[in-house]
Amino acid sequence: MDWIRICPLDAILPGGGACALIGARQVALFRPYADERVFALDNVDPFAHVSVLSRGLIVEHQGELWVASPLKKQRFRLSDGQCLEDPDYSVLSLPVEVREGMVYLPVQKD
Amino acid sequence: MTATRLLVVGNGMVGQRFLEELVDKAWPGEYDITVIGAEPRPAYDRVHLSSYFAHHTDEDLALAKPDFFTRHGIHLHLGEAVKRIDRARHQVETNLGAVIGYDKLVLATGSFPWVPPIAGSAHPACFVYRTIDDLKAIEARARGAKSGVVVGGGLLGLEAAGALKALGLETHVIEYAPVLMAEQLDRMGGEMLRRKIDALGVQVHTGKDTREIVTHGQGHKLRFADGGVLDVDLIVFSTGIRPQDTLARYGELPVAERGGIVIDDHCLTADPDIYAIGECAAWRGQFFGLVAPGYKMAQVAADHLMGCDNAFTGADMSAKLKLLGVSVGSIGDAHGRTPGAQSYVYQDDHGGVYKKLVVSADGRELLGAVLVGDVDDYGELLQMKRNALPMPAHPDTLILPAYAGARPASGVSALPGSAVICSCFDVSKDRIAAAVAGGCRSVEEIKAATGAGTGCGGCVPLIAQVLNAELSRQGIEVSNHLCQHFAHSRQALFHLIKVNQVKTFDEAIRRFGQGYGCEVCKPAVASILASAWNDYALRPDLAVLQETNDAFLGNLQKDGSYSVIPRMAGGEVTPEGLMALAQVARDFQLYTKVTGAQRIGLFGARKGDLPRIWARLIDAGFESGQAYAKSLRMVKTCVGSTWCRYGVQDSVGFGVELEHRYKGLRTPHKMKFGISGCTRECAEAQGKDVGIIATDAGWNLYVGGNGGMKPRHAELLAADLDRDTLLRYLDRFVMLYAQSADKLQRTAAWVESLDGGIDYLRTTIVDDALGLGAQLEADLAMLRAAYQCEWQRTLADPAHPSRFADFINSPAADPGLQYVPVRGQLRPAALEERRTIAIHRVED
């Protein structure tokens, strides 16, 4: 798998998120703690079809971490994109790597 | 089926209640109903008549919804009185000459104030206190008056004294008997009440026999039998009521010796086609001057008319009231007249509390009680008497304070299911329990579902007890915990954070919570931290707690763009400001609209453009309007005395000052203020969280109003305030709200949730009874000093504008934001109008 460098890890606030543009795709990055754990989901809220998930709050329910959409608060699991309210509305989850203080996402293959 | 012609004479509280019972139960078309009312307006709440001075609108006191009569096809004749009943022909004749036939007739003509035959009592400066028109007349006369007296120190007389005091008059009360409220209170209870009323500045004169009223110029002199005199400007008589039974006397229906149309247990008069209900009726020789027995009669008469089984079995005259701010309760045999009765007395002169229990000779049964200054026990004691519940071994434990003796367990669980909790609307404990089982979870919901507690309101604490008991019995957990991460209410957490000087979410959750946090507690704690310390909202550790609106200092719109709304304090904007705003809107292609808050909103701003847009606006002299925040949004003003021909105060100038005073302060939910320059109220201030209305003497301060989904009129907190006093009260109100409301609770819901509601607020804010005033003011001053325009601060920090970029790895603009034209501007493209953004599966 080829990786593309996105940004320094420190560019994402601990507890916060950011949006990366890869080709035509918008990817939400989440950094729940002050360490190197980073999660990536498709940025589009599947209920509203609007690209905003990176601006949601990172929340804990049922012992797991989710992002709550900033539009209407549906929650999507950081680890795999599953929607808590309705699994039919789950979002794509992407692998993400952090090396030497930099965040990498996979390059999209045609 | 031919409709029965039903004629109801009188549209007071009881007459209206009868109509509601009937239309609720009858088949549509079963009755052809005509109502004749002598007053110019439909039924209103006479019990809370003095609250008319708080709002000055008839609608607030109205009992029926405006469309009640048309919706039910009821013919309503207002301002018309029945002159004569022709029983033989089954018809009545009115003072306007109309003749109206009936099959069944209901007399609900109420009572009239009785004025003793004192010389001079017919002077125009003498009033009675029963109708809205009486109140309007008193108010008009009071404008040129300094002092007033109420003759009669009974329940209604003290109500009337409250009204005179509210009008700003030096107020006196004259009572013939040696004690106040001699009907309901014993001598010591009356004495305690008198002391408390004296302390409020109302001068009480008992044991005074008024013999004559002498008019000299504009003033009036009351002469008493003991030779004393009293000079006043207006006089209100409240010396008792008499049943309005004239129609019966002329119609040759029997009336009781002391007045009142004689009725049987079904509220039927001697004529089988005529009912009488309410104060005009006498049952077993007695008439009832309270509303609860009248309501019961309304129900009985409606049931009997429709062939249902129901009977009036008398009513006890127990009552709980608040007179001039003093709580008073009286139950059953308050005077201990039952042979062999024994009493227990608790008196606390310092706290102004007096309680007496009257129990049967064997000590097993509660016969009556008197409560002055503290009526918390009223509901339980009343139930104990009504249901003849067994008394505890030491009856005095029922009235002792908690620290002076253990109280027996709460009474509601001991009540039988049939116990009537709300006597105004005859709602039993079983019915409340059923409402809880049916999903009601709050007193408000129970009120809406059953009507309980919506009459005199005296049973509301008891409803709350039944609610809580039922919830726990049915295993339903009600928790005011913030969320699963914080087992504290917002108010408790606020105090923990404040007292322990906690400045971050991490410390708060480590010390007072557990886990990671969620969409509930993160913004709630951010709001608490802001209300406690007012630190910069985008400090990195705080920024990640904020909802997206606060995180990017704009309101997120449905398409992912944000709105830009600069402050226009009081709705003022200069031509230069408008031009700058217009230029920015044009350059960034923003949709422009005047918002509901007297300011201008620019919509469709890309996140990445926000810093550049705001830099331009700040250069033009604007600052953040906090339209995105749970904080003061704006102060809506009318143009006031500067321009308006009617304005009496400078509402714009004061509105601008207020907006700057409270701007930026984070509160549990948003706040909107309104300020009107005269009583025409063009700023609609009474629909706002804080409403201020100019008077000749200063400003009236209203709080807890709301528009939106559940409109609510604001309630008067204090009247005729000068600027400094108003600011002091407002500082306390805003801070108390910030510190003690629940998360996302608007002031309207907060005021309703307070035990005692507006009275509690008045005690705390105006009287400063809890001694919190100075601290609240200091807290607010600290927050004000920490105010900074968030956009100015954000732009000054070189690290921050990059946070707003659409993408963390590209300077590109978000291609998802697409717009189409509408009425010369742009709107977001609908889903089907958007160019599709392809989403492909990424290789694992």
Side-chain angles (χ1 to χ4, degrees):
Chain A
M1 187 158 32
D2 294 328
W3 297 87
I4 180 170
R5 194 163 74 180
I6 301 298
C7 64
L9 177 65
D10 290 343
I12 310 174
L13 288 177
C19 183
L21 184 68
I22 304 176
R25 152 167 285 154
Q26 300 192 18
V27 178
L29 295 169
F30 299 101
R31 187 186 178 199
Y33 303 99
D35 58 19
E36 294 198 338
R37 276 173 284 180
V38 177
F39 300 86
L41 301 177
D42 192 288
N43 196 45
V44 175
D45 175 331
F47 292 92
H49 304 285
V50 173
S51 187
V52 292
L53 288 188
S54 63
R55 296 176 238 166
L57 286 171
I58 304 174
V59 303
E60 179 193 51
H61 292 285
Q62 303 170 355
E64 297 185 276
L65 294 179
W66 314 68
V67 61
S69 169
L71 286 168
K72 298 209 169 150
K73 304 283 186 293
Q74 293 95 348
R75 288 153 297 189
F76 305 89
R77 190 153 57 199
L78 295 191
S79 60
D80 62 1
Q82 176 158 322
C83 176
L84 180 64
E85 282 75 15
D86 184 349
D88 287 347
Y89 283 82
S90 296
V91 299
L92 196 65
S93 150
L94 291 86
V96 56
E97 276 198 4
V98 177
R99 276 179 271 133
E100 289 156 6
M102 296 300 287
V103 179
Y104 294 82
L105 283 172
V107 174
Q108 192 175 343
K109 286 183 190 165
D110 293 321
Chain B
M1 184 178 75
T2 315
T4 303
R5 292 174 306 160
L6 176 68
L7 179 61
V8 181
V9 181
N11 189 230
M13 297 180 78
V14 172
Q16 180 64 27
R17 185 65 201 281
F18 172 82
L19 292 174
E20 277 167 16
E21 287 285 336
L22 198 75
V23 298
D24 200 31
K25 291 174 183 165
W27 295 103
E30 191 177 355
Y31 293 97
D32 177 19
I33 308 174
T34 302
V35 176
I36 302 179
E39 285 192 63
R41 53 184 68 78
Y44 54 89
D45 184 356
R46 258 187 248 287
V47 175
H48 297 104
L49 200 55
S50 59
S51 74
Y52 175 78
F53 287 120
H55 288 304
H56 286 91
T57 61
D58 300 357
E59 291 78 38
D60 284 308
L61 289 173
L63 287 177
K65 296 205 172 75
D67 66 343
F68 174 84
F69 297 96
T70 48
R71 188 155 45 90
H72 295 289
I74 298 172
H75 315 289
L76 180 65
H77 301 237
L78 291 176
E80 191 168 352
V82 170
K83 219 169 65 181
R84 207 170 70 85
I85 304 172
D86 186 339
R87 287 167 53 201
R89 292 194 180 136
H90 275 67
Q91 64 189 31
V92 304
E93 200 180 307
T94 76
N95 62 337
L96 300 182
V99 174
I100 299 167
Y102 67 84
D103 298 316
K104 297 283 179 185
L105 177 64
V106 177
L107 299 174
T109 46
S111 64
F112 63 91
W114 177 77
V115 177
I118 296 171
S121 63
H123 189 276
C126 295
F127 299 89
V128 293
Y129 184 82
R130 177 170 174 84
T131 66
I132 287 183
D133 286 342
D134 292 337
L135 243 70
K136 286 183 173 172
I138 291 171
E139 191 185 20
R141 186 88 190 183
R143 279 196 199 112
K146 286 198 177 58
S147 62
V149 63
V150 177
V151 180
L155 191 159
L156 261 179
L158 295 179
E159 267 277 316
L164 293 190
K165 189 159 177 280
L167 287 168
L169 299 183
E170 175 197 313
T171 304
H172 299 263
V173 173
I174 306 291
E175 170 57 45
Y176 177 79
V179 285
L180 291 174
M181 288 182 68
E183 292 257 328
Q184 291 89 1
L185 301 184
D186 64 340
R187 187 161 190 139
M188 284 155 80
E191 196 48 45
M192 178 66 80
L193 177 63
R194 180 214 174 105
R195 278 211 295 275
K196 292 179 80 88
I197 290 176
D198 269 338
L200 292 167
V202 172
Q203 297 174 50
V204 179
H205 315 263
T206 50
K208 288 276 185 191
D209 181 6
T210 312
R211 284 293 172 84
E212 190 184 15
I213 298 168
V214 186
T215 302
H216 50 90
Q218 287 302 301
H220 307 274
K221 195 184 286 291
L222 274 64
R223 289 191 192 283
F224 304 112
D226 62 6
V229 294
L230 177 69
D231 288 302
V232 289
D233 298 323
L234 76 85
I235 298 144
V236 178
F237 279 99
S238 180
T239 35
I241 56 165
R242 296 289 182 270
Q244 183 55 273
D245 54 12
T246 322
L247 283 177
R249 290 176 194 269
Y250 289 151
E252 289 173 359
L253 284 170
V255 293
E257 195 178 331
R258 292 166 58 203
I261 308 162
V262 172
I263 56 167
D264 66 10
D265 292 356
H266 302 302
C267 298
L268 265 185
T269 65
D271 182 325
D273 290 325
I274 304 180
Y275 296 86
I277 54 177
E279 290 173 334
C280 69
W283 179 81
R284 300 196 184 169
Q286 186 190 3
F287 71 91
F288 300 87
L290 290 178
V291 74
Y295 278 174
K296 182 70 190 176
M297 288 182 196
Q299 201 184 46
V300 169
D303 280 346
H304 187 261
L305 184 62
M306 286 180 287
C308 305
D309 190 29
N310 201 344
F312 186 75
T313 53
D316 77 88
M317 301 302 275
S318 301
K320 180 176 113 168
L321 336 122
K322 194 155 212 181
L323 298 163
L324 290 151
V326 181
S327 297
V328 175
S330 167
I331 294 173
D333 181 10
H335 296 90
R337 290 180 181 134
T338 310
Q342 298 179 336
S343 43
Y344 294 83
V345 171
Y346 170 80
Q347 182 163 354
D348 167 8
D349 281 343
H350 178 72
V353 175
Y354 173 80
K355 301 180 186 184
K356 181 172 88 166
L357 289 184
V358 179
V359 302
S360 59
D362 60 6
R364 288 194 184 158
E365 204 184 324
L366 181 66
L367 300 174
V370 175
L371 304 167
V372 178
D374 174 2
V375 293
D376 288 352
D377 302 324
Y378 177 83
E380 269 184 65
L381 292 175
L382 182 64
Q383 291 298 335
M384 190 167 262
K385 173 177 183 302
R386 285 219 179 123
N387 298 291
L389 298 181
M391 297 278 285
H394 299 286
D396 48 353
T397 57
L398 290 170
I399 50 172
L400 286 176
Y403 56 78
R407 289 271 309 271
S410 160
V412 289
S413 52
L415 290 180
S418 60
V420 172
I421 303 292
C422 169
S423 43
C424 291
F425 286 88
D426 199 22
V427 181
S428 67
K429 181 184 164 191
D430 275 345
R431 224 169 116 211
I432 293 173
V436 175
C440 291
R441 292 291 176 271
S442 67
V443 172
E444 289 309 311
E445 287 170 14
I446 289 174
K447 280 180 171 180
T450 66
T454 59
C456 72
C459 61
V460 168
L462 215 58
I463 295 175
Q465 281 187 37
V466 176
L467 169 70
N468 290 334
E470 281 303 310
L471 286 174
S472 70
R473 202 180 59 78
Q474 296 176 17
I476 302 161
E477 196 178 329
V478 240
S479 159
N480 62 356
H481 293 173
L482 204 55
C483 66
Q484 56 185 315
H485 302 105
F486 286 93
H488 298 284
S489 68
R490 182 188 178 278
Q491 182 177 11
L493 191 58
F494 186 99
H495 287 289
L496 286 171
I497 284 175
K498 189 91 196 286
V499 169
N500 291 287
Q501 299 268 318
V502 172
K503 300 284 179 76
T504 67
F505 179 83
D506 285 349
E507 189 185 347
I509 201 163
R510 197 177 66 243
R511 292 180 62 178
F512 314 124
Q514 55 167 358
Y516 184 83
C518 67
E519 68 276 21
V520 174
C521 61
K522 281 183 166 187
V525 170
S527 164
I528 290 174
L529 290 169
S531 295
W533 316 117
N534 211 4
D535 285 333
Y536 173 50
L538 298 191
R539 196 178 70 198
D541 66 299
L542 294 177
V544 296
L545 306 175
Q546 313 285 6
E547 301 260 20
T548 187
N549 287 4
D550 280 294
F552 297 105
L553 307 176
N555 264 12
L556 178 67
Q557 304 298 312
K558 64 186 285 187
D559 68 336
S561 69
Y562 291 81
S563 62
V564 170
I565 303 180
R567 183 167 306 289
M568 287 183 184
E572 271 185 347
V573 61
T574 62
E576 290 73 21
L578 270 183
M579 284 192 277
L581 205 60
Q583 199 66 50
V584 168
R586 196 162 67 180
D587 291 351
F588 289 89
Q589 293 196 298
L590 303 176
Y591 171 85
T592 306
K593 185 185 181 304
V594 176
T595 70
Q598 289 194 341
R599 47 192 188 177
I600 294 172
L602 311 178
F603 293 79
R606 254 184 345 105
K607 183 158 69 85
D609 282 340
L610 287 172
R612 287 194 296 148
I613 291 171
W614 274 102
R616 297 257 308 262
L617 292 174
I618 284 167
D619 275 348
F622 286 106
E623 65 177 346
S624 168
Q626 260 96 22
Y628 45 81
K630 309 295 185 212
S631 65
L632 174 65
R633 290 292 169 84
M634 87 311 186
V635 179
K636 181 177 178 179
T637 64
C638 68
V639 288
S641 60
T642 319
W643 292 95
C644 178
R645 284 178 291 147
Y646 303 107
V648 295
Q649 306 275 2
D650 176 15
S651 48
V652 177
F654 200 21
V656 170
E657 182 186 351
L658 289 175
E659 187 158 338
H660 287 304
R661 186 178 183 88
Y662 299 107
K663 67 185 177 187
L665 169 72
R666 294 299 208 274
T667 38
H669 209 309
K670 64 185 172 190
M671 285 196 297
K672 296 177 174 179
F673 288 11
I675 175 163
S676 284
C678 78
T679 53
R680 283 174 178 71
E681 240 286 66
C682 294
E684 295 160 335
Q686 289 170 95
K688 302 281 187 285
D689 297 274
V690 169
I692 297 166
I693 301 175
T695 68
D696 293 335
W699 305 95
N700 283 353
L701 174 58
Y702 296 79
V703 296
N706 202 352
M709 194 160 63
K710 203 178 155 213
R712 180 179 195 270
H713 266 139
E715 294 174 275
L716 183 67
L717 183 69
D720 291 333
L721 302 173
D722 59 45
R723 173 191 168 279
D724 292 348
T725 311
L726 187 142
L727 291 181
R728 204 164 65 240
Y729 291 171
L730 203 45
D731 282 2
R732 294 175 181 179
F733 173 79
V734 169
M735 217 52 232
L736 194 64
Y737 168 59
Q739 298 185 355
S740 70
D742 201 359
K743 58 180 186 288
L744 299 182
Q745 188 177 40
R746 289 288 295 269
T747 59
W750 175 61
V751 173
E752 280 180 7
S753 75
L754 295 170
D755 192 7
I758 189 76
D759 293 329
Y760 169 81
L761 280 184
R762 202 173 290 120
T763 316
T764 310
I765 291 171
V766 178
D767 307 336
D768 198 12
L770 304 178
L772 296 172
Q775 185 59 49
L776 291 171
E777 289 165 41
D779 287 348
L780 191 102
M782 194 266 286
L783 297 180
R784 281 179 60 209
Y787 170 82
Q788 50 189 342
C789 167
E790 283 161 342
W791 267 111
Q792 214 163 355
R793 162 76 203 254
T794 300
L795 294 172
D797 185 339
H800 268 133
S802 66
R803 267 193 72 235
F804 290 83
D806 286 351
F807 302 107
I808 198 163
N809 62 336
S810 161
D814 182 351
L817 295 178
Q818 298 171 20
Y819 296 89
V820 293
V822 62
R823 296 182 294 279
Q825 303 200 65
L826 294 176
R827 66 158 171 83
L831 189 56
E832 60 277 11
E833 293 168 322
R834 290 206 308 236
R835 287 178 294 114
T836 313
I837 302 167
I839 298 193
H840 303 290
R841 179 84 194 165
V842 174
E843 197 60 44
D844 297 313

